[in-house]
Amino acid sequence: GAGVSQSPSNKVTEKGKDVELRCDPISGHTALYWYRQSLGQGLEFLIYFQGNSAPDKSGLPSDRFSAERTGGSVSTLTIQRTQQEDSAVYLCASSLVWDRVYEQFFGPGTRLTVL
Amino acid sequence: QQQVKQSPQSLIVQKGGISIINCAYENTAFDYFPWYQQFPGKGPALLIAIRPDVSEKKEGRFTISFNKSAKQFSLHIMDSQPGDSATYFCAASPTGTYKYIFGTGTRLKVLA
């Protein structure tokens, strides 16, 4: 079956512009996660969704970052007024249910470059 | 601050050798420890996971060793193969939460 897909695969933008990153989770997965992977760093947790709600947004690095999920499926991560330090690979993952013992399946990521 | 420290940053092993990656944590409230494998251009994929009530878990050539008192856990790859060349991340999940705290990763290269 289809895995987690993300689009675009690469995004180059200018400082100050807004960007939207999309994640299509595995069909039927109720939990969805966003991570950020910076060069030489591990995966930094940003936010998770259970259904359409995001109980904890504390991982978002600033108020320029927001995310939503509609229909319990597709999620969009929006970064407003991008900064160079936002350059990273943004990874989305989904799991069957909200429980850390259920495997999180990752997408291939969106590489964001802010010039 | 909850952290997971991973070492080494990079590792080169001969084919057939044993690859060992170590992780350490400080927060005793972690109670689930998965390892993820990531190939270039791909997202991470679950390799193996362990709970602290066992000291070792083996799946094929991959073994997790867990030392609860030392707050350390490690991944051993036996008979390492060139196809194992990838970046490996350890992670820990705090009790009662949904999230993983990841280590910084180890880039493994297995020479043919």
Side-chain angles (χ1 to χ4, degrees):
Chain A
V4 176
S5 61
Q6 293 185 244
S7 61
S9 56
N10 282 284
K11 177 70 176 179
V12 180
T13 190
E14 294 179 348
K15 178 182 175 181
K17 295 286 184 66
D18 298 351
V19 296
E20 287 188 351
L21 312 180
R22 176 187 169 108
C23 173
D24 284 85
I26 294 173
S27 178
H29 280 194
T30 59
L32 185 147
Y33 311 81
W34 283 98
Y35 293 88
R36 180 168 69 175
Q37 185 174 22
S38 303
L39 187 63
Q41 301 295 314
L43 282 72
E44 174 189 8
F45 171 82
L46 298 178
I47 189 171
Y48 97 101
F49 289 88
Q50 177 62 10
N52 290 335
S53 65
D56 185 353
K57 302 179 181 179
S58 61
L60 296 177
S62 77
D63 58 8
R64 296 185 295 105
F65 288 72
S66 62
E68 65 175 11
R69 188 180 185 193
T70 56
S73 181
V74 173
S75 176
T76 302
L77 177 68
T78 301
I79 308 173
Q80 295 180 311
R81 306 181 301 281
T82 52
Q83 302 296 312
Q84 290 184 331
E85 61 262 29
D86 299 335
S87 296
V89 176
Y90 290 82
L91 291 161
C92 173
S94 70
S95 64
L96 187 60
V97 295
W98 172 58
D99 189 309
R100 72 263 177 80
V101 300
Y102 284 83
E103 179 178 354
Q104 294 185 22
F105 292 85
F106 283 80
T110 293
R111 181 175 297 276
L112 174 65
T113 302
V114 181
L115 302 177
Chain B
Q1 184 177 359
Q2 298 174 332
Q3 283 188 336
V4 177
K5 297 181 181 180
Q6 183 171 349
S7 63
Q9 187 174 15
S10 63
L11 181 62
I12 299 175
V13 174
Q14 293 288 337
K15 178 182 177 181
I18 302 174
S19 303
I20 302 175
I21 302 170
N22 299 299
C23 287
Y25 62 99
E26 296 180 351
N27 189 329
T28 58
F30 290 143
D31 66 352
Y32 183 70
F33 302 87
W35 284 86
Y36 275 77
Q37 179 188 54
Q38 185 179 29
F39 293 104
K42 305 291 186 181
L46 180 65
L47 191 61
I48 187 173
I50 196 170
R51 290 184 179 277
D53 54 347
V54 298
S55 60
E56 186 175 282
K57 182 175 181 179
K58 183 177 180 179
E59 291 186 1
R61 297 184 294 107
F62 300 90
T63 300
I64 299 178
S65 297
F66 190 86
N67 186 329
K68 188 175 181 179
S69 61
K71 300 176 190 174
Q72 296 175 347
F73 57 110
S74 60
L75 175 69
H76 294 231
I77 305 174
M78 311 299 289
D79 187 27
S80 298
Q81 299 297 311
D84 297 331
S85 297
T87 299
Y88 293 81
F89 292 95
C90 63
S93 181
T95 303
T97 75
Y98 46 84
K99 59 184 178 182
Y100 297 160
I101 309 297
F102 282 87
T104 52
T106 296
R107 182 172 293 183
L108 171 66
K109 183 172 184 177
V110 181
L111 301 177

